[in-house]
Amino acid sequence: MKAISIGLLGLGTVGSGVVQIIKNHQDKLMHQVGCPVEIKKILVNDLHKTRSAEINTQVLTNNPDDILQDPEIDVVIEVMGGVEETKKYLQSALQSGKHVVTANKDLMALHGSELLKLASENGCDLFYEASVAGGIPILRGLVDGLASDRITQLMGIVNGTTNFILTKMSSEGLAYEDVLKEAQELGFAEADPTSDVEGLDAARKMTILATLGFSMHIDLEDVKVSGITQITEEDLRYGKQMGYTMKLIGNAHREGEKVEVSVQPTFLSNNHPLASVQNEYNAVYVYGEAVGETMFYGPGAGSLPTATAVVSDLVGVIKNLRLGVNGRSAVAPQYPKRLKDDSEKYSKYFLRIHVQDEVGVFAEITSIFAKYGVSFEKILQMPVTKNETAEIVLVTHQASLTDIEDILVELKDLSAVKEVKSSYKVVRK
Amino acid sequence: MKAISIGLLGLGTVGSGVVQIIKNHQDKLMHQVGCPVEIKKILVNDLHKTRSAEINTQVLTNNPDDILQDPEIDVVIEVMGGVEETKKYLQSALQSGKHVVTANKDLMALHGSELLKLASENGCDLFYEASVAGGIPILRGLVDGLASDRITQLMGIVNGTTNFILTKMSSEGLAYEDVLKEAQELGFAEADPTSDVEGLDAARKMTILATLGFSMHIDLEDVKVSGITQITEEDLRYGKQMGYTMKLIGNAHREGEKVEVSVQPTFLSNNHPLASVQNEYNAVYVYGEAVGETMFYGPGAGSLPTATAVVSDLVGVIKNLRLGVNGRSAVAPQYPKRLKDDSEKYSKYFLRIHVQDEVGVFAEITSIFAKYGVSFEKILQMPVTKNETAEIVLVTHQASLTDIEDILVELKDLSAVKEVKSSYKVVRK
């Protein structure tokens, strides 16, 4: 039987992993798909760079057309990253009837719907399991589960860098800057960590997850994002006292036909399944109407985990190819986009406030909350530390985002309030 | 397009869930599989029992042949339970070319290989996702992951009853008997809980998981089983002091080509992903050579979660049916069965020993371990409680099962040892 020909765009860590897995598991792949799988061409920047012994330099090219225009190539695997140029390559591949497997979250978050539509029009598969939480088969889990259930909530720890940093800050009582430095030395954070620590990377993944999970086209701009750079050791210490763990949580929540999607630092109660996801690990918690709570946990990145997801997608493409049923991966969203207003977004909040140590301040503060009908789950008033400053830490019951924002404005206007040090969402199990 | 006809064997809680899901999600199912799905007949014991309004009594029958011999029925869904009679029904269905979806772990653990072979011979699908950890798509996860990885370890909390009991014992400091009673009142434990609390139910599920995960035919008799009935509050209290959580762990471990499968009460270090799985929830932790650690978490039982898994399998069968590719679900085991000898099974152990409070006893005890080359990670000697009895709690480094068993025999022979109160495996992350 004729071999399936692959064109690989990119030969970085994930690309090398794909080459290695296809080489090492040739027998298993053959057993699964019934034909050999062969990497015919690999697009690289530098033809002359030293490569590992596993790479046959004959297959390297620096001309994308050697892959995109080769009629013998059945499947293009994209692991080169980047957005605009890469999009053009994949469009060209799909237009030539080639199936595509990509690990590119940036591309899928920004142009996923457009590319999936193009794939569908050309009878091609476009699979992207590796773009979200590399080693966790979450997209397949969602698709399978969706057949007979409707998803209410997707909560994810989908960025390994920030989870590593928060885990270290929490377990060792260290400051953000110190842990970031360590993470960079260990290779868990980039030299420029902005996209991770500001929550953008997580927001891209949540866009992909929410679009698929709710069958509703969610744009990156719909995601309310804040990162972890403002989190202090004090915040984590107070959280710990209250039985909370701080995580950067991507939260996609549906109530009726309206949804909200956010990425925010969040205190989880310690018994929440996501609270114990540590270090660089990722996890996605899914709440379905029928099935209830499920959670998928695993490595979010890394050469072999991500390459494993890519090869699983490749197996899916080849099975479809052999059955002649490609081009069904793009299911048009079943529901029109409807986003919640801020007044419909409810959460509990943790607030830490520095106030003048004066008689009556406490009453002044609590009366603002009372005005908005927001009550408290917990209030701690700390002894005065220095400069006649007292610290108040409180956790509210459910409050709308508009109410909390108005409350914060009013608090800051109080002469007795020196500073609102922090405000975070709180999620209890 | 012609509807797919289903015959349902059994209409208990899971069967009713299946009826409800197929009814409520008819549009989605149609969207996924491209044709209507219809329940044509339901086998029940009692035709005249009062049923919920959703059941059309016209489709009820108490004659299995109305389903098994009806040439119009494409798929048989088995949710009636039982082993010998049920096996005959499914054999008859497969021999008539009907595809089968079953939620029956007892049947699959005992006769899975035989039934899968029969399915394959008749070009039929036999899917059984719901038989292990109802709401968790673990079997599909294993099959997908297997394409490009090789599994080293499967560790599972696969019995909700025992996990509920251990969670309560641990969090509330209660005795086994008291918690069992509460679990029975809440419906989390059967009136006769033997198969759950003695670990047999978990062993059946581990048989299914290990057979699939290692691609090796594992029999129920190959699983070393012990249950939770001997666990005391004291054990849990000491474990907690040491940072351990007690779980009934199904463990399937491969080293080279040899495997071991066991179900045993096990102390997990609190940072192990399985340690935070609470109450009636299930989880399966999978270690693959390429992907590393992953974990699947969710409800292990319940009407709708289990029914959701059944319907997901049904969707798989119908997709194959429409593509004409059924009968490939039974992949013959790739590896011959090779089990580890006890001398090759290594673990850390927690031992709790009551001894005479005499000079030299401690040295006597530790010298026995030294003789077998087993060293300690931790030793606690407790103050004398009563009757001149001192308590020694120790955690060993890795020791083989044969060595630990020999050590236990020698300990019991010591005149100064009053009783070995408990011995459990310890797994650290």
Side-chain angles (χ1 to χ4, degrees), chain B residues 58-89:
Chain B
Q58 299 291 307
V59 306
L60 301 182
T61 175
N62 53 14
N63 178 2
D65 285 343
D66 284 350
I67 291 174
L68 304 174
Q69 302 303 326
D70 180 345
E72 288 188 356
I73 285 181
D74 305 291
V75 185
V76 170
I77 295 179
E78 186 272 302
V79 286
M80 59 188 278
V83 176
E84 294 309 327
E85 193 184 10
T86 313
K87 181 185 171 195
K88 283 185 197 135
Y89 290 174

Side-chain angles (χ1 to χ4, degrees), chain B residues 37 73 117 178 234 372:
Chain B
V37 176
I73 285 181
K117 188 158 168 283
D178 297 332
E234 289 76 34
Y372 288 89

Side-chain angles (χ1 to χ4, degrees), chain B residues 242-297:
Chain B
M242 295 177 169
Y244 299 144
T245 304
M246 174 66 82
K247 296 289 175 190
L248 182 65
I249 294 293
N251 183 30
H253 193 207
R254 178 179 65 80
E255 274 171 300
E257 301 308 317
K258 284 191 169 184
V259 306
E260 66 174 300
V261 187
S262 64
V263 170
Q264 287 174 302
T266 303
F267 273 125
L268 301 176
S269 62
N270 287 339
N271 66 344
H272 194 288
L274 289 172
S276 51
V277 175
Q278 297 192 315
N279 298 319
E280 75 279 17
Y281 278 86
N282 282 200
V284 181
Y285 169 95
V286 182
Y287 194 92
E289 284 176 2
V291 83
E293 289 180 38
T294 54
M295 187 174 84
F296 299 79
Y297 166 98

Side-chain angles (χ1 to χ4, degrees), chain A residues 338-355:
Chain A
R338 291 192 62 199
L339 300 173
K340 283 194 217 171
D341 299 326
D342 284 356
S343 64
E344 298 169 306
K345 296 175 182 171
Y346 277 81
S347 179
K348 299 181 178 195
Y349 288 89
F350 166 103
L351 303 179
R352 188 158 68 88
I353 307 165
H354 278 188
V355 298

Side-chain angles (χ1 to χ4, degrees), chain A residues 278-303:
Chain A
Q278 297 191 315
N279 298 318
E280 75 279 17
Y281 277 87
N282 281 201
V284 181
Y285 169 94
V286 183
Y287 194 92
E289 285 176 0
V291 81
E293 287 179 39
T294 54
M295 189 174 84
F296 298 78
Y297 165 98
S303 168

Side-chain angles (χ1 to χ4, degrees), chain B residues 185-222:
Chain B
E185 284 162 9
L186 290 168
F188 287 124
E190 306 279 340
D192 175 5
T194 314
S195 128
D196 291 315
V197 300
E198 297 295 356
L200 298 175
D201 176 82
R204 291 187 191 115
K205 292 166 182 165
M206 290 308 298
T207 305
I208 297 172
L209 284 174
T211 295
L212 187 63
F214 296 146
S215 196
M216 184 185 290
H217 179 77
I218 302 293
D219 291 296
L220 187 54
E221 306 87 77
D222 301 326

Side-chain angles (χ1 to χ4, degrees), chain A residues 21 28 31 135 140 144 146 148-149 273 276 281 290-291 293-299 304-305 308 311-312 323 325 331, chain B residues 21 28 31 135 140 144 146 148-149 273 276 281 290-291 293-299 304-305 308 311-312 323 325 331:
Chain A
I21 287 177
K28 277 203 173 174
H31 185 72
R140 215 169 293 128
D144 283 343
L146 283 170
S148 48
D149 200 355
S276 51
Y281 277 87
V291 81
E293 287 179 39
T294 54
M295 189 174 84
F296 298 78
Y297 165 98
L304 284 179
T308 303
V311 176
S312 289
L323 299 171
V325 294
V331 178
Chain B
I21 287 176
K28 278 203 172 173
H31 185 73
R140 215 168 294 130
D144 283 343
L146 283 169
S148 49
D149 200 357
S276 51
Y281 278 86
V291 83
E293 289 180 38
T294 54
M295 187 174 84
F296 299 79
Y297 166 98
L304 284 179
T308 302
V311 177
S312 289
L323 300 171
V325 294
V331 178

